[in-house]
Amino acid sequence: MRTTRIERIAAAWLALEATGVLGLAVWEIVALVGDDSDSLGSSLALLVLTVLGAAALVGFAAAVWRGGSWGRSGGVVVQVLVLSIALGTLTGQGADTRLAATIAVPGIVGLILLIAAARAAGQRARDAADDEV
């Protein structure tokens, strides 16, 4: 099954996000080594969760590249979580509109790409069903 161009673009976007999350993990390691954390246990737990998140994004990217619906579903969940984090930065005393936009824009782009990829996969499946008839 050959994936469409938009599916490959969506997969590449997820892989790019995984790279960003791995960059965040490196930043966490630097903070940990530089003794810039209050709690060693919390810092290690956050580092493990960050690396697991990056690994999940890599898995979603690979699945979308291969045309797997579970990769698109997982990717959509990640984008919704990113958008909820962006929304959270708009509330409270430390609200920051620029930071919220910086977080939200990649989430919106990823969501649009994944929805377009799902539509393309659906069309591909319909075309394949028509060819069998």
Side-chain angles (χ1 to χ4, degrees), residues 17-113:
E17 288 181 331
T19 303
V21 174
L22 282 175
L24 181 60
V26 169
W27 182 34
E28 291 171 4
I29 291 170
V30 169
L32 189 60
V33 170
D35 203 28
D36 192 25
S37 62
D38 293 333
S39 170
L40 178 63
S42 294
S43 296
L44 289 174
L46 183 60
L47 177 61
V48 168
L49 289 174
T50 304
V51 171
L52 286 173
L57 278 166
V58 168
F60 297 151
V64 171
W65 188 271
R66 293 182 187 138
S69 65
W70 69 270
R72 291 187 304 272
S73 300
V76 166
V77 169
V78 169
Q79 304 316 307
V80 170
L81 290 172
V82 166
L83 291 172
S84 68
I85 292 169
L87 182 62
T89 61
L90 289 174
T91 61
Q93 288 181 344
D96 187 347
T97 306
R98 280 194 275 171
L99 179 60
T102 302
I103 295 170
V105 168
I108 292 168
V109 169
L111 193 57
I112 290 169
L113 288 171

